[in-house]
Each structure stands twice: as structure tokens, then as C-alpha cells.
Amino acid sequence: MAGNSFMTPAIMLAVLLLISPEIYAGHDYRDALRKSILFFEGQRSGKLPPDQRLKWRRDSALRDGSSAGVDLTGGYYDAGDNVKFGFPMAFTTTMMSWSVIDFGKTMGPELENAVKAIKWGTDYLMKATQISGVVFVQVGDAYSDHNCWERPEDMDTLRTVYKIDKDHPGSEVAGETAAALAAASIVFEKRDPAYSKMLLDRAARVFAFAQKYRGAYSDSLYQAVCPFYCDFNGYEDELLWGAAWLHKASKKRVYREFIVKNQVILRAGDTIHEFGWDNKHAGINVLISKMVLMGKADYFQSFTQNADEFICSLLPGISHPQVQYSQGGLLVKSGGSNMQHVTSLSFLLLTYSNYLSHAKKVVQCGDFTASPALLRQTAKRQVDYILGDNPMKMSYMVGYGPKFPQMIHHRGSSVPSVVDHPGRIGCKDGSPYFLSPNPNPNLLIGAVVGGPNVTDDFPDSRPYFQLTEPTTYINAPLLGLLGYFSARS
């Protein structure tokens, strides 16, 4: 329940209703969009391309996969460490693709960079699924990595390769990987038809594997993936999520029938106030609802009902008990890295508002009617909070605005770059930089950190990793949000 530190729901709702739904001024959303995409270049692993714009980064992890006899170079480091976790990387790729599918037309010149960011992810996921019946789901021993504070260019920690197969299933990570490849196939459908077909064919193969050999990778690979990216929510939602994206990309009846047949047994209506790398339920319902609202799929009506309940669970004044708003107006959920919830849930609010607008529909939350404009206002309020409209009067995106986090929990950003310090900095040699009171020497431009706590306070300090560490899946949904608002400012 909300304590004294929270703005009362009635006041918050009144404030939101007073905001104009159509005029978005006060922030340079285009600049924020550019920087949010640039962040992904700072997270790149592997051989960097000639057009790399974040110049303090260099090639890294060029032998990834060699211990397993495969090429697993490339992809993204998930956060401030140097491990490549396949589960959040796939979700990141899915959300970047959804951002481009729904909001690419509003991204202007940044669309090309967004598409490049997606391809950096899909190229790696294609490598990770190159062997039929196998998905390579992680490169790097997380315990070994987290015991060191070193830049990726100097990495000498264990680069152990972890995989799932029929004897060691992982339906959640395989299902999310299938979703990512299918979503990206839509992005490349007209840009590169041959690549698009490769992505879609691979997505279908990986999804077939995910549903045939059902099980959680948290069980088969517990020692490697837990507690970092454990599957706490079960793999059922990823099977529906993968099928939903394959249906959207291929239009094949087999995926529609899978969804209709399995929506109850795979719990489509569960935990509707959640959406992120582990829980896809709200995303499934919003994604599928578009077809219903367009009058093309009445057999999916239950998903629209679930989506409506999701919207009601988020709105200030009538939200679910597990969804709170701080006194400064930030959406707050329990656990660390709160901004991952802020960006992903706000993305769904904005996306659903567009679907409702086109269908000339509203959401009925008991006696209260939520218009598409209110959904957009609620999403915009969260974006503006991230960019500086908050009690700390600071942006939580590195490099945006006059005041932003200076000591983020990120190895590459906090240790001197190869450009400035060509000599190797070993595992424990980086510890003084972790403990340093000085700002990080390398700006990870565009990185959005985990964000402030429930009282809107923010200690700008590396050890507070839940608050100061950026992640790829915080930024991915933000691409769509910033694209939309940049076209209306």
C-alpha cells in the first residue's frame, strides 16, 4: 500500500488529466532518441565496425564460442558487466524491433541507426541458433566476471559457453529468441527480403524446438543463469509470445491455432501488470489485441479483455497494489532496476493508445473511462521523468541535459579506455576505479540507469548497482517512446 511518501492517486490522476494530450514540449526528444540508440554501440561485443561512433570502445571477446567449436562473437553485453546473456539480449532485440515496427516512421534520420542496432542483435542470435536443436544461451561465467572490474577489451575471465538442447531444455529463452527473430524479420521485410526470410525461417525452427522440448533453462542451467537471469515466471508466456510474433510475421494459421488452443493452459491472463525480460503476459495481450481492434480477429477477443485489465492496473488512481507512483510521479514496482518497468510498461501504454485511437475505442476501468489520450499522457509523464522532470532535477540518461549520472555501475565506462590507457588493466587492477569518487572517464552516452528509489532519491555511486547500472532492456522500449514524442514536439 502507498505510504506517506506517495502522491495520492486522486491528485496524480488530476494532474495527468490537465496535461494536453497532443502538444509535447519541454524536452528534445529527438536528441534523447539519438543518444538512446548510441548507447547500444557502447554495449557491443566482438569486432567493431568502421562506422562505430562511440570511439572509446574497442574490439573485445573475439574468441567467444571457440571452446565449443562455434563462432559466438558479436552481440551485446547486457549491462555493466561483460557477460552475454541470451535471454535479455533476445528480449532487447524484440523490443527494438517492435519500436521500429510501430514507431519507425517517426524516428526520422535515426531510423537507420535503430535498424543497425537491431541487426547487431539478430546477427548474433543467428549464430546462437546455427545448429538445429541447440540454442547457445550464454557466453561468459557470470561469477568469474562479477569477481573482476575490468573493461571488456582486457577481459581474461572464463568465457564458458552454455547451451540448451533436447536433454537440457529452455523453452523461455528459445521462445524469446524465436520472438526476436520473427519481429526483426518484419523490420527487414522490405529493407532486405533475403535476410528477412532467413530470420523468419530460423524463428520458426527455434519455436518448434521450444515447444517440442518444454522446460525451463533455470532448471537445466541453474548454476550458470541464476540468480542473474533466472526464469522466475515460467516458460509458458514465452511460448505464446513467440507464437504471437510468428503469427504477426508469417500470417500462418498454425500459429493462430496454437495461440487459441493454448491461451488458457499457457496462462495468457496471468500477472497482467508485468512486462519485461522474464514476463511477457501484458505484451502478448497488447500485441494480439491490435488485430481484434482492427476488426480482423474476433477469436482473440479475450486478449483485448486482458489488455484492458492491464491498462487499468497501471493508471494512477486505480492501479494494481503492486504498481505505485512516487511523490515525484515515477511508476514504481518492487525489485531492482526500476526503470526497466518504467520504459517497458510505458511502451505498452503508448502502443495500446495508438491501437485504441485507430479503432476509436476507449478502456473502461469500472466507472472510469480511460481514453487513448490519457494513456499517452501517462506514458509521456514517465519519459519526462527520465529526462529530468523529477524532484532531483536530473536526467537519468547519461549525456542528456545539464545534470545526469556521472558514476554509473559500468566497467567499460568507469575504467580508462584503451585510447587513454593502452596498457592492460587486469581483473583486480580495476578495483580502484570502481571505488573512485571521481566521475567515469568514458561517457556511455544514452545509457538509462536503474533509476531512483521510491522516495525519488538517487545516490550517484557505482556500488548502488540496482540504481546506477544501465541495461539494454531499459533502453530498448525507449526507442519507440522517444520516436513517437519526438515527432510531436
Side-chain angles (χ1 to χ4, degrees), residues 424-439:
R424 182 177 176 277
I425 300 175
C427 171
K428 296 301 183 182
D429 295 332
S431 297
Y433 300 107
F434 172 73
L435 298 171
S436 170
N438 299 320

Side-chain angles (χ1 to χ4, degrees), residues 310-369:
F310 158 71
I311 295 301
C312 297
S313 78
L314 292 188
L315 293 178
I318 54 176
S319 62
H320 188 279
Q322 292 187 24
V323 180
Q324 303 284 359
Y325 285 85
S326 72
Q327 189 171 4
L330 180 68
L331 185 153
V332 178
K333 290 180 64 64
S334 61
S337 191
N338 186 63
M339 285 302 185
Q340 67 177 306
H341 305 299
V342 174
T343 60
S344 61
L345 294 173
S346 295
F347 177 90
L348 292 186
L349 281 169
L350 179 62
T351 301
Y352 201 56
S353 76
N354 281 356
Y355 299 165
L356 290 169
S357 292
H358 288 301
K360 296 181 171 54
K361 301 283 188 181
V362 296
V363 175
Q364 200 63 42
C365 303
D367 295 331
F368 178 74
T369 299

Side-chain angles (χ1 to χ4, degrees), residues 216-274:
Y217 91 143
S218 295
D219 295 332
S220 57
L221 294 174
Y222 181 85
Q223 296 298 327
V225 303
C226 295
F228 312 102
Y229 289 101
C230 265
D231 172 28
F232 298 104
N233 188 62
Y235 61 79
E236 293 85 357
D237 52 327
E238 276 82 24
L239 289 178
L240 281 175
W241 180 240
W245 277 108
L246 276 159
H247 180 261
K248 184 176 178 66
S250 71
K251 308 296 190 295
K252 288 186 176 180
R253 188 174 65 180
V254 62
Y255 299 113
R256 183 191 75 196
E257 291 176 346
F258 178 90
I259 295 167
V260 172
K261 180 180 178 181
N262 290 281
Q263 61 178 304
V264 175
I265 194 171
L266 295 182
R267 312 191 332 261
D270 279 15
T271 51
I272 57 169
H273 55 278
E274 295 274 359

